[in-house]
Protein backbone atom coordinates (compact mmCIF):
# COMPACT_ATOMS: atom_id res chain seq x y z
CA UNK A 1 0.00 0.00 0.00
CA UNK A 2 1.43 3.33 -1.02
CA UNK A 3 1.15 5.89 1.72
CA UNK A 4 2.35 9.31 2.75
CA UNK A 5 4.27 10.07 5.91
CA UNK A 6 4.36 13.67 7.13
CA UNK A 7 6.91 14.33 9.89
CA UNK A 8 6.87 17.65 11.74
CA UNK A 9 9.81 18.43 14.03
CA UNK A 10 8.73 21.19 16.37
CA UNK A 11 11.16 24.13 16.29
CA UNK A 12 13.63 22.67 13.78
CA UNK A 13 15.49 25.41 11.91
CA UNK A 14 16.29 24.90 8.22
CA UNK A 15 19.92 25.68 9.02
CA UNK A 16 20.11 22.71 11.43
CA UNK A 17 19.18 20.08 8.84
CA UNK A 18 22.88 19.46 7.97
CA UNK A 19 23.39 18.36 11.60
CA UNK A 20 20.91 15.51 11.07
CA UNK A 21 22.45 12.73 8.95
CA UNK A 22 19.22 10.94 8.06
CA UNK A 23 17.34 14.12 7.20
CA UNK A 24 20.32 15.25 5.12
CA UNK A 25 20.18 11.96 3.18
CA UNK A 26 16.46 12.49 2.57
CA UNK A 27 17.14 16.02 1.31
CA UNK A 28 20.01 14.90 -0.95
CA UNK A 29 18.01 12.08 -2.49
CA UNK A 30 14.79 14.10 -2.65
CA UNK A 31 13.64 17.70 -2.94
CA UNK A 32 14.64 20.44 -0.52
CA UNK A 33 13.00 23.87 -0.28
CA UNK A 34 15.47 26.58 0.74
CA UNK A 35 12.80 29.24 1.25
CA UNK A 36 9.96 27.49 3.04
CA UNK A 37 8.02 29.47 5.62
CA UNK A 38 5.81 29.00 8.62
CA UNK A 39 2.38 30.54 8.80
CA UNK A 40 2.29 33.71 10.89
CA UNK A 41 2.28 33.90 13.86
CA UNK A 42 5.19 31.41 13.81
CA UNK A 43 3.70 29.25 16.57
CA UNK A 44 2.95 25.56 17.03
CA UNK A 45 -0.84 25.34 17.12
CA UNK A 46 -1.49 27.86 14.30
CA UNK A 47 0.87 25.71 12.19
CA UNK A 48 -0.88 22.48 13.24
CA UNK A 49 -4.31 23.83 12.31
CA UNK A 50 -3.01 25.12 8.97
CA UNK A 51 -1.31 21.78 8.19
CA UNK A 52 -4.61 20.10 9.05
CA UNK A 53 -6.70 22.28 6.73
CA UNK A 54 -4.52 24.08 4.18
CA UNK A 55 -6.14 27.30 5.42
CA UNK A 56 -4.32 30.24 7.06
CA UNK A 57 -4.63 31.05 10.79
CA UNK A 58 -7.04 33.88 9.99
CA UNK A 59 -9.43 31.29 8.58
CA UNK A 60 -8.87 28.46 11.08
CA UNK A 61 -9.19 30.96 13.95
CA UNK A 62 -6.18 29.30 15.63
CA UNK A 63 -4.12 32.50 15.65
CA UNK A 64 -1.99 31.64 18.67
CA UNK A 65 -0.94 28.95 21.12
CA UNK A 66 -2.97 31.04 23.52
CA UNK A 67 -6.14 32.81 22.42
CA UNK A 68 -8.89 34.95 23.87
CA UNK A 69 -12.37 33.63 23.06
CA UNK A 70 -15.79 33.87 24.65
CA UNK A 71 -14.42 36.22 27.30
CA UNK A 72 -11.74 33.80 28.52
CA UNK A 73 -8.20 32.63 27.84
CA UNK A 74 -7.88 29.42 25.81
CA UNK A 75 -4.74 27.27 25.88
CA UNK A 76 -4.95 25.43 22.55
CA UNK A 77 -2.48 22.81 23.83
CA UNK A 78 -5.18 21.21 25.98
CA UNK A 79 -7.92 19.01 24.50
CA UNK A 80 -10.43 20.13 27.16
CA UNK A 81 -9.90 23.76 26.22
CA UNK A 82 -10.23 22.91 22.54
CA UNK A 83 -13.53 21.21 23.37
CA UNK A 84 -14.62 24.47 25.00
CA UNK A 85 -13.50 26.44 21.95
CA UNK A 86 -15.41 23.99 19.78
CA UNK A 87 -18.58 24.62 21.77
CA UNK A 88 -18.06 28.40 21.47
CA UNK A 89 -17.81 27.94 17.70
CA UNK A 90 -21.08 26.13 17.13
CA UNK A 91 -19.71 22.63 17.74
CA UNK A 92 -17.01 22.81 15.08
CA UNK A 93 -13.41 23.57 16.10
CA UNK A 94 -12.10 24.55 12.67
CA UNK A 95 -14.52 26.26 10.29
CA UNK A 96 -13.18 24.61 7.12
CA UNK A 97 -12.97 20.92 6.10
CA UNK A 98 -9.78 19.20 7.21
CA UNK A 99 -7.52 17.01 5.10
CA UNK A 100 -8.61 14.10 7.28
CA UNK A 101 -12.30 14.71 6.53
CA UNK A 102 -11.52 15.06 2.83
CA UNK A 103 -9.66 11.73 2.87
CA UNK A 104 -12.44 10.16 4.89
CA UNK A 105 -14.96 11.24 2.24
CA UNK A 106 -12.94 9.18 -0.24
CA UNK A 107 -12.62 6.12 2.03
CA UNK A 108 -9.10 7.00 3.13
CA UNK A 109 -7.70 7.63 6.53
CA UNK A 110 -5.36 10.04 8.30
CA UNK A 111 -3.79 9.17 11.62
CA UNK A 112 -1.80 11.73 13.62
CA UNK A 113 0.60 10.62 16.36
CA UNK A 114 2.26 13.34 18.42
CA UNK A 115 4.66 13.86 21.30
CA UNK A 116 3.91 17.60 21.49
CA UNK A 117 0.94 18.77 23.55
CA UNK A 118 -2.18 16.63 23.17
CA UNK A 119 -4.00 19.76 21.92
CA UNK A 120 -1.45 20.09 19.14
CA UNK A 121 -1.98 16.44 18.16
CA UNK A 122 -5.76 16.90 18.21
CA UNK A 123 -5.53 20.00 15.99
CA UNK A 124 -3.84 17.85 13.32
CA UNK A 125 -7.11 15.94 13.01
CA UNK A 126 -9.93 17.40 15.13
CA UNK A 127 -12.53 15.25 13.33
CA UNK A 128 -10.98 12.14 14.92
CA UNK A 129 -13.43 12.88 17.74
CA UNK A 130 -16.20 12.15 15.21
CA UNK A 131 -14.53 9.01 13.86
CA UNK A 132 -12.56 10.43 10.90
CA UNK A 133 -9.17 8.74 11.15
CA UNK A 134 -7.48 8.93 14.55
CA UNK A 135 -5.21 10.96 16.84
CA UNK A 136 -2.81 9.56 19.42
CA UNK A 137 -0.98 11.88 21.81
CA UNK A 138 1.86 10.79 24.10
CA UNK A 139 0.81 12.68 27.25
CA UNK A 140 -1.51 11.60 30.06
CA UNK A 141 -5.19 12.37 29.65
CA UNK A 142 -7.73 11.62 32.35
CA UNK A 143 -7.28 8.02 33.52
CA UNK A 144 -5.04 7.16 30.58
CA UNK A 145 -1.29 7.58 30.18
CA UNK A 146 -1.96 8.88 26.63
CA UNK A 147 -4.62 10.72 24.64
CA UNK A 148 -6.44 8.94 21.82
CA UNK A 149 -9.53 9.40 19.70
CA UNK A 150 -11.77 7.77 18.61
CA UNK A 151 -12.80 5.30 21.32
CA UNK A 152 -12.02 2.11 19.38
CA UNK A 153 -8.40 3.23 18.93
CA UNK A 154 -8.20 4.39 22.55
CA UNK A 155 -9.41 1.03 23.86
CA UNK A 156 -6.75 -0.78 21.82
CA UNK A 157 -4.02 1.20 23.60
CA UNK A 158 -5.17 0.91 27.20
CA UNK A 159 -2.23 -0.20 29.34
CA UNK A 160 0.33 1.47 27.07
CA UNK A 161 2.57 4.03 28.81
CA UNK A 162 4.43 6.47 26.55
CA UNK A 163 7.12 7.69 28.95
CA UNK A 164 7.76 4.31 30.58
CA UNK A 165 11.30 3.72 29.37
CA UNK A 166 12.45 7.10 30.76
CA UNK A 167 14.60 9.85 29.29
CA UNK A 168 13.69 12.85 27.15
CA UNK A 169 13.02 10.77 24.02
CA UNK A 170 11.04 7.89 25.52
CA UNK A 171 7.75 9.26 24.21
CA UNK A 172 9.19 9.52 20.71
CA UNK A 173 10.45 5.93 21.01
CA UNK A 174 6.95 4.90 22.03
CA UNK A 175 5.41 6.80 19.11
CA UNK A 176 7.81 5.23 16.58
CA UNK A 177 7.14 1.70 17.86
CA UNK A 178 3.40 2.33 18.07
CA UNK A 179 3.33 3.48 14.45
CA UNK A 180 5.37 0.53 13.18
CA UNK A 181 3.77 -2.17 15.36
CA UNK A 182 0.16 -1.05 15.55
CA UNK A 183 -0.86 1.98 13.50
CA UNK A 184 0.53 0.92 10.12
CA UNK A 185 -0.45 -2.77 10.22
CA UNK A 186 -3.75 -2.46 12.06
CA UNK A 187 -5.21 0.99 11.45
CA UNK A 188 -3.69 1.21 7.96
CA UNK A 189 -3.66 4.97 7.37
CA UNK A 190 -3.17 6.43 3.88
CA UNK A 191 -1.62 9.51 5.46
CA UNK A 192 0.33 9.29 8.69
CA UNK A 193 1.45 12.39 10.57
CA UNK A 194 4.16 12.18 13.23
CA UNK A 195 4.73 15.31 15.29
CA UNK A 196 7.87 15.38 17.46
CA UNK A 197 7.73 17.97 20.24
CA UNK A 198 11.06 17.29 22.01
CA UNK A 199 13.40 19.71 20.24
CA UNK A 200 11.17 22.72 20.89
CA UNK A 201 11.02 22.02 24.63
CA UNK A 202 14.79 21.55 24.87
CA UNK A 203 15.51 24.70 22.83
CA UNK A 204 13.11 26.82 24.92
CA UNK A 205 14.94 25.78 28.08
CA UNK A 206 18.52 25.77 26.76
CA UNK A 207 18.56 27.89 23.61
CA UNK A 208 19.69 27.01 20.11
CA UNK A 209 23.33 26.03 19.75
CA UNK A 210 23.35 24.67 23.33
CA UNK A 211 24.82 21.20 23.94
CA UNK A 212 21.36 19.87 24.85
CA UNK A 213 19.85 21.34 21.68
CA UNK A 214 22.63 19.93 19.47
CA UNK A 215 22.25 16.48 21.09
CA UNK A 216 18.51 16.54 20.51
CA UNK A 217 19.01 16.99 16.75
CA UNK A 218 20.93 13.70 16.59
CA UNK A 219 18.61 11.83 18.96
CA UNK A 220 15.52 12.79 16.95
CA UNK A 221 17.23 12.12 13.64
CA UNK A 222 18.13 8.53 14.60
CA UNK A 223 14.52 7.84 15.60
CA UNK A 224 13.21 9.22 12.33
CA UNK A 225 15.59 6.91 10.49
CA UNK A 226 14.26 3.95 12.48
CA UNK A 227 10.67 4.94 11.67
CA UNK A 228 11.32 5.45 7.95
CA UNK A 229 13.26 2.16 7.71
CA UNK A 230 10.46 0.21 9.35
CA UNK A 231 7.72 1.84 7.27
CA UNK A 232 9.59 1.50 3.99
CA UNK A 233 10.43 -2.14 4.78
CA UNK A 234 6.68 -2.71 4.77
CA UNK A 235 5.66 -0.18 2.11
CA UNK A 236 8.63 0.66 -0.13
CA UNK A 237 6.62 3.25 -2.06
CA UNK A 238 6.00 5.54 0.90
CA UNK A 239 6.49 9.24 0.21
CA UNK A 240 7.98 11.18 3.12
CA UNK A 241 7.60 14.91 3.78
CA UNK A 242 9.59 16.46 6.63
CA UNK A 243 9.03 19.99 7.88
CA UNK A 244 8.80 22.09 11.06
CA UNK A 245 6.08 24.25 12.52
CA UNK A 246 8.36 27.29 12.93
CA UNK A 247 12.00 28.34 13.25
CA UNK A 248 13.64 29.47 16.47
CA UNK A 249 15.70 32.29 17.97
CA UNK A 250 17.52 32.92 21.23
CA UNK A 251 16.09 35.72 23.34
CA UNK A 252 18.10 38.84 24.13
CA UNK A 253 15.63 39.95 26.79
CA UNK A 254 12.36 38.98 28.45
CA UNK A 255 9.24 41.12 28.39
CA UNK A 256 6.85 40.68 31.26
CA UNK A 257 3.17 40.66 30.34
CA UNK A 258 2.34 42.83 33.34
CA UNK A 259 4.80 45.41 32.00
CA UNK A 260 3.17 45.14 28.60
CA UNK A 261 -0.23 46.00 30.06
CA UNK A 262 1.25 49.03 31.80
CA UNK A 263 1.70 50.85 28.47
CA UNK A 264 -2.04 50.83 27.71
CA UNK A 265 -4.02 54.05 28.23
CA UNK A 266 -5.43 53.84 31.77
CA UNK A 267 -8.97 54.60 30.59
CA UNK A 268 -8.90 51.56 28.27
CA UNK A 269 -6.89 49.05 30.28
CA UNK A 270 -10.01 47.12 31.32
CA UNK A 271 -11.14 46.84 27.71
CA UNK A 272 -8.00 45.30 26.30
CA UNK A 273 -6.75 41.74 26.71
CA UNK A 274 -3.10 41.06 25.97
CA UNK A 275 -2.38 37.42 25.20
CA UNK A 276 1.18 36.30 25.60
CA UNK A 277 2.51 34.08 22.80
CA UNK A 278 6.26 34.05 23.44
CA UNK A 279 7.82 36.01 20.54
CA UNK A 280 4.48 37.45 19.50
CA UNK A 281 1.75 39.28 21.38
CA UNK A 282 -1.95 39.18 20.49
CA UNK A 283 -3.95 42.29 21.38
CA UNK A 284 -7.70 41.74 21.77
CA UNK A 285 -10.56 44.16 22.43
CA UNK A 286 -12.92 42.90 25.13
CA UNK A 287 -15.71 45.12 23.84
CA UNK A 288 -16.39 46.96 20.61
CA UNK A 289 -14.11 50.03 20.58
CA UNK A 290 -14.47 53.29 18.65
CA UNK A 291 -11.93 54.07 15.93
CA UNK A 292 -10.31 56.65 18.26
CA UNK A 293 -10.01 54.10 21.04
CA UNK A 294 -8.44 51.52 18.70
CA UNK A 295 -5.94 54.17 17.57
CA UNK A 296 -5.07 55.07 21.16
CA UNK A 297 -4.39 51.43 22.05
CA UNK A 298 -2.33 50.68 18.96
CA UNK A 299 -0.35 53.89 19.26
CA UNK A 300 0.54 52.98 22.85
CA UNK A 301 1.58 49.48 21.82
CA UNK A 302 3.70 50.79 18.91
CA UNK A 303 5.43 53.22 21.29
CA UNK A 304 6.39 50.54 23.81
CA UNK A 305 10.10 49.85 23.86
CA UNK A 306 9.56 46.12 23.28
CA UNK A 307 7.35 46.31 20.18
CA UNK A 308 8.51 45.32 16.73
CA UNK A 309 6.49 44.85 13.52
CA UNK A 310 2.81 45.31 14.28
CA UNK A 311 0.07 43.90 12.06
CA UNK A 312 -3.20 45.55 12.98
CA UNK A 313 -6.81 46.07 11.98
CA UNK A 314 -7.57 49.17 9.89
CA UNK A 315 -6.44 52.18 11.90
CA UNK A 316 -4.89 55.62 11.55
CA UNK A 317 -1.70 54.74 13.48
CA UNK A 318 1.41 55.30 11.34
CA UNK A 319 3.86 52.42 11.16
CA UNK A 320 1.34 49.58 11.43
CA UNK A 321 0.98 46.94 8.73
CA UNK A 322 -2.35 45.42 7.78
CA UNK A 323 -3.51 42.16 9.39
CA UNK A 324 -5.43 41.52 6.18
CA UNK A 325 -2.11 41.50 4.25
CA UNK A 326 -0.82 38.82 6.55
CA UNK A 327 -4.10 36.96 6.12
CA UNK A 328 -3.72 36.27 9.78
CA UNK A 329 -7.18 37.32 10.79
CA UNK A 330 -10.29 37.14 8.69
CA UNK A 331 -12.39 36.39 11.73
CA UNK A 332 -13.73 39.85 12.42
CA UNK A 333 -15.70 38.39 15.32
CA UNK A 334 -12.75 37.36 17.48
CA UNK A 335 -11.84 40.90 18.61
CA UNK A 336 -8.20 40.61 17.55
CA UNK A 337 -6.80 44.13 17.10
CA UNK A 338 -3.14 43.36 16.46
CA UNK A 339 -0.36 40.82 16.28
CA UNK A 340 2.84 42.39 17.61
CA UNK A 341 6.21 40.80 16.98
CA UNK A 342 8.69 41.46 19.79
CA UNK A 343 11.79 41.55 17.57
CA UNK A 344 13.33 44.73 16.16
CA UNK A 345 16.60 46.40 15.20
CA UNK A 346 17.90 49.48 16.93
CA UNK A 347 19.63 52.45 15.33
CA UNK A 348 22.99 50.61 15.42
CA UNK A 349 21.47 47.66 13.57
CA UNK A 350 21.62 45.46 16.66
CA UNK A 351 18.86 42.93 16.88
CA UNK A 352 16.68 42.78 19.97
CA UNK A 353 14.75 39.53 20.33
CA UNK A 354 12.15 39.84 23.05
CA UNK A 355 10.24 36.89 24.38
CA UNK A 356 7.41 37.11 26.83
CA UNK A 357 7.57 35.01 29.96
CA UNK A 358 5.78 31.71 29.50
CA UNK A 359 5.50 28.44 31.37
CA UNK A 360 4.61 29.64 34.82
CA UNK A 361 6.69 32.75 34.58
CA UNK A 362 10.04 31.04 34.02
CA UNK A 363 12.60 32.72 31.85
CA UNK A 364 13.07 31.00 28.50
CA UNK A 365 16.43 30.93 26.74
CA UNK A 366 14.84 30.94 23.31
CA UNK A 367 11.59 30.89 21.44
CA UNK A 368 9.61 31.93 18.40
CA UNK A 369 6.35 33.56 17.39
CA UNK A 370 7.82 36.71 15.84
CA UNK A 371 7.86 37.77 12.18
CA UNK A 372 11.67 37.57 12.02
CA UNK A 373 13.24 35.45 9.32
CA UNK A 374 14.74 33.23 12.05
CA UNK A 375 11.29 32.32 13.38
CA UNK A 376 9.52 32.20 10.00
CA UNK A 377 11.93 30.04 8.02
CA UNK A 378 11.41 26.26 8.19
CA UNK A 379 12.89 23.19 6.50
CA UNK A 380 10.80 21.36 3.89
CA UNK A 381 12.09 18.08 2.46
CA UNK A 382 10.15 15.73 0.17
CA UNK A 383 11.51 12.27 -0.54
CA UNK A 384 10.04 9.21 -2.21
CA UNK A 385 8.89 7.70 -5.49
CA UNK A 386 6.63 10.67 -6.32
CA UNK A 387 9.40 13.26 -6.03
CA UNK A 388 12.42 14.40 -7.96
CA UNK A 389 15.85 13.22 -6.86
CA UNK A 390 18.55 15.60 -5.64
CA UNK A 391 16.68 18.81 -6.34
CA UNK A 392 17.07 21.99 -4.32
CA UNK A 393 14.70 24.86 -5.00
CA UNK A 394 14.40 28.50 -3.96
CA UNK A 395 10.72 28.66 -4.91
CA UNK A 396 8.47 29.74 -2.04
CA UNK A 397 6.40 27.22 -0.12
CA UNK A 398 4.63 27.23 3.24
CA UNK A 399 2.43 25.10 5.49
CA UNK A 400 -0.66 25.70 3.37
CA UNK A 401 0.97 23.92 0.41
CA UNK A 402 1.52 20.68 2.33
CA UNK A 403 -2.09 19.38 2.52
CA UNK A 404 -2.78 20.36 -1.10
CA UNK A 405 0.32 18.41 -2.14
CA UNK A 406 -0.74 15.40 -0.04
CA UNK A 407 -4.14 15.41 -1.80
CA UNK A 408 -2.33 15.12 -5.13
CA UNK A 409 -0.02 12.38 -3.81
CA UNK A 410 -2.95 10.20 -2.78
CA UNK A 411 -4.78 10.91 -6.04
CA UNK A 412 -7.54 13.17 -4.73
CA UNK A 413 -8.67 16.59 -5.97
CA UNK A 414 -7.64 19.62 -3.88
CA UNK A 415 -10.77 20.97 -2.18
CA UNK A 416 -11.45 24.72 -2.67
CA UNK A 417 -11.12 25.35 1.09
CA UNK A 418 -7.38 24.67 0.83
CA UNK A 419 -5.60 27.88 -0.10
CA UNK A 420 -2.20 26.28 -0.74
CA UNK A 421 -0.85 25.06 -4.05
CA UNK A 422 0.35 21.63 -5.11
CA UNK A 423 4.17 21.70 -5.04
CA UNK A 424 4.24 20.38 -8.58
CA UNK A 425 7.85 21.46 -9.17
CA UNK A 426 8.84 18.80 -6.61
CA UNK A 427 7.09 16.01 -8.46
CA UNK A 428 8.90 13.55 -10.64
CA UNK A 429 6.29 13.95 -13.32
CA UNK A 430 5.54 17.57 -12.47
CA UNK A 431 5.51 20.11 -15.24
CA UNK A 432 3.88 23.16 -13.65
CA UNK A 433 5.55 26.40 -12.60
CA UNK A 434 8.97 25.51 -13.89
CA UNK A 435 9.45 28.71 -15.89
CA UNK A 436 7.61 31.10 -13.58
CA UNK A 437 9.75 33.11 -11.16
CA UNK A 438 8.49 34.50 -7.85
CA UNK A 439 7.85 38.25 -7.73
CA UNK A 440 9.19 40.08 -4.67
CA UNK A 441 6.88 42.57 -3.08
CA UNK A 442 7.78 44.83 -0.14
CA UNK A 443 5.42 46.82 2.02
CA UNK A 444 6.91 49.68 4.05
CA UNK A 445 5.11 51.42 6.91
CA UNK A 446 6.78 54.53 8.34
CA UNK A 447 6.07 55.66 11.86
CA UNK A 448 8.46 58.56 11.55
CA UNK A 449 11.79 59.36 9.89
CA UNK A 450 13.75 56.96 12.12
CA UNK A 451 11.17 54.23 12.64
CA UNK A 452 10.00 52.04 9.80
CA UNK A 453 8.70 48.51 9.32
CA UNK A 454 9.25 46.51 6.17
CA UNK A 455 7.40 43.33 5.25
CA UNK A 456 8.66 41.03 2.52
CA UNK A 457 6.16 39.04 0.45
CA UNK A 458 6.55 36.89 -2.64
CA UNK A 459 3.93 36.23 -5.25
CA UNK A 460 4.08 32.91 -7.00
CA UNK A 461 1.64 30.67 -8.83
CA UNK A 462 -1.40 32.63 -7.69
CA UNK A 463 -0.33 32.75 -4.06
CA UNK A 464 1.02 35.47 -1.82
CA UNK A 465 3.70 34.22 0.58
CA UNK A 466 4.70 36.18 3.67
CA UNK A 467 8.46 35.79 4.26
CA UNK A 468 9.32 38.14 7.13
CA UNK A 469 8.83 41.62 8.59
CA UNK A 470 11.41 43.72 10.39
CA UNK A 471 11.18 46.99 12.24
CA UNK A 472 14.07 49.44 12.59
CA UNK A 473 13.54 51.93 15.36
CA UNK A 474 15.47 54.36 17.48
ZN1 LIG B 1 7.81 26.44 21.12
Amino acid sequence: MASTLLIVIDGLRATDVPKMPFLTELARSGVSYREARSVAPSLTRPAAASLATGAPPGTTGITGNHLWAGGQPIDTGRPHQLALLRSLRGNRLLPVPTLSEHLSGHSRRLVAVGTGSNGCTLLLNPAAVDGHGAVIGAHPFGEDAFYAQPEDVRSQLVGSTPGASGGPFSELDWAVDLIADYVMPEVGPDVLVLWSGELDDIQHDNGIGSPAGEDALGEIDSRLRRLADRIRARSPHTDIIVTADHGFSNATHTVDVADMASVLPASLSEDIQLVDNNGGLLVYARRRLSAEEVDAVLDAVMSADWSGPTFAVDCAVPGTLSLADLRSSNRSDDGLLAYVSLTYRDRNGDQHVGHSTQRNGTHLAGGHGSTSSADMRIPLVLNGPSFRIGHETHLPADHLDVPATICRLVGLPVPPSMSGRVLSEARLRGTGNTCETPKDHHVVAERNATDETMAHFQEFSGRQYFLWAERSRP
Side-chain angles (χ1 to χ4, degrees), residues 302 310 318-321 443-448 451-455:
M302 285 289 294
T310 299
T320 56
L321 295 161
V443 178
V444 177
E446 266 188 26
R447 184 155 171 82
N448 58 49
D451 183 345
E452 78 171 25
T453 303
M454 182 193 279

Side-chain angles (χ1 to χ4, degrees), residues 308-372:
T310 299
F311 287 83
V313 292
D314 280 347
C315 65
V317 180
T320 56
L321 295 161
S322 167
L323 259 182
D325 273 354
L326 197 58
R327 296 184 181 172
S328 184
S329 182
N330 307 332
R331 290 178 74 91
S332 51
D333 58 338
D334 66 2
L336 183 65
L337 295 182
Y339 157 47
V340 184
S341 174
L342 303 187
T343 303
Y344 62 92
R345 278 178 202 281
D346 66 21
R347 153 188 3 225
N348 301 319
D350 292 329
Q351 205 178 9
H352 297 256
V353 182
H355 289 151
S356 58
T357 46
Q358 259 193 341
R359 294 196 195 173
N360 312 320
T362 52
H363 175 77
L364 301 177
H368 50 87
S370 81
T371 58
S372 71

Side-chain angles (χ1 to χ4, degrees), residues 411-434:
L412 296 184
V414 180
S417 58
M418 290 187 181
S419 23
R421 67 185 179 90
V422 174
L423 298 171
S424 51
E425 66 277 1
R427 299 194 70 219
L428 212 50
R429 289 176 297 280
T431 50
N433 309 323
T434 44

Side-chain angles (χ1 to χ4, degrees), residues 156-186:
Q156 289 289 316
L157 301 179
V158 168
S160 189
T161 310
S165 61
F169 302 98
S170 59
E171 289 168 354
L172 188 57
D173 284 329
W174 176 81
V176 165
D177 290 338
L178 186 77
I179 289 168
D181 297 334
Y182 164 67
V183 176
M184 296 310 282
E186 292 190 39

